[in-house]
């Protein structure tokens, strides 16, 4: 059996592109470790696997994913501007090409909103949005296929049947 969709590889692509285009690092939200240098982005999975009603297959499944991004800064203006910049990045032709080459597509993104944490408002401001992706999984079930059948001593193979039809 193949491995399921590699979410870590997907996020590595997205994080690398964010860094390349904005010069700002992106981290997993609420990760343990020292405080990051401002400004920075964080992401968190709102829903990493949303089933689609028109697909019930396991092989090459299409599904959607919702990811929340936040821009963290010491100014409300910087946080809002960076979050807006990030939403625009996800709508660029270059990002669409990167997505297409890696079997995912940007469906849409929500509006940027303040996501300030009232407890930490004296320390940082946050602005964020939700990004919606459609993913095409490369997972394929390893099933045993019947290539030939013997009936009364006569071998019927899938290849011979296709050639006659």
């Amino acid at each position: 059996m193949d491995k399921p969709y590699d979410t870590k590889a997907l996020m590595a692509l997205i994080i690398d592109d964010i860094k390349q285009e904005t010069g700002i690092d992106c981290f997993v939200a609420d990760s343990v470790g020292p405080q990051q240098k401002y400004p920075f982005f964080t992401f968190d999975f709102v829903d990493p696997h949303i089933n689609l009603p028109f697909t019930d297959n396991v092989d090459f499944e299409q599904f959607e994913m919702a990811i929340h991004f936040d821009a963290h800064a010491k100014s409300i203006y910087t946080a809002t501007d960076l979050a807006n910049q990030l939403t625009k990045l996800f709508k660029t032709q270059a990002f669409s090409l990167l997505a297409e080459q890696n079997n995912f597509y940007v469906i849409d993104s929500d509006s940027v909103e303040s996501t300030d944490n009232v407890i930490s408002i004296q320390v940082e401001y946050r602005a964020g949005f939700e990004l919606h992706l459609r993913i095409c999984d490369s997972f394929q079930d390893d099933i045993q296929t019947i290539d030939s059948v013997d009936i009364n001593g006569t071998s019927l193979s899938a290849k011979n049947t296709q050639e006659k039809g």
Side-chain angles (χ1 to χ4, degrees):
M1 185 164 82
D2 279 347
K3 292 181 180 179
Y5 189 76
D6 190 347
T7 307
K8 183 177 181 179
L10 168 73
M11 291 312 300
L13 284 169
I14 293 172
I15 290 167
D16 287 348
D17 198 58
I18 290 171
K19 176 69 174 181
Q20 180 180 340
E21 296 298 324
T22 67
I24 297 173
D25 291 315
C26 184
F27 305 97
V28 175
D30 302 323
S31 55
V32 178
Q35 172 64 45
Q36 304 303 326
K37 181 180 171 198
Y38 290 104
F40 61 92
F41 296 112
T42 58
F43 72 91
D44 190 20
F45 295 106
V46 176
D47 196 336
H49 193 279
I50 303 167
N51 291 321
L52 299 175
F54 60 81
T55 178
D56 61 357
N57 58 321
V58 173
D59 294 344
F60 306 106
E61 175 192 19
Q62 287 189 30
F63 63 95
E64 292 182 1
M65 180 181 290
I67 308 167
H68 182 85
F69 285 91
D70 274 319
H72 300 250
K74 291 201 173 235
S75 156
I76 192 170
Y77 305 111
T78 303
T80 302
D81 291 349
L82 289 174
N84 281 317
Q85 180 184 6
L86 198 53
T87 61
K88 290 179 188 228
L89 168 67
F90 294 137
K91 295 175 184 175
T92 63
Q93 186 175 9
F95 192 82
S96 293
L97 182 59
L98 173 75
E100 185 176 336
Q101 291 169 344
N102 291 282
N103 293 323
F104 73 94
Y105 305 89
V106 174
I107 297 171
D108 66 5
S109 62
D110 295 342
S111 300
V112 170
E113 298 178 353
S114 172
T115 57
D116 290 336
N117 179 346
V118 178
I119 295 171
S120 67
I121 196 84
Q122 295 174 4
V123 179
E124 73 176 6
Y125 289 90
R126 297 187 307 198
F129 62 94
E130 204 169 289
L131 179 71
H132 303 270
L133 304 176
R134 178 153 304 155
I135 311 286
C136 184
D137 195 351
S138 62
F139 177 88
Q140 188 171 5
D141 191 9
D142 295 334
I143 57 171
Q144 296 290 331
T145 58
I146 300 172
D147 296 326
S148 66
V149 176
D150 286 336
I151 299 178
N152 297 331
T154 305
S155 178
L156 300 173
S157 71
K159 183 178 178 184
N160 290 341
T161 305
Q162 290 173 352
E163 290 173 357
K164 291 179 183 177

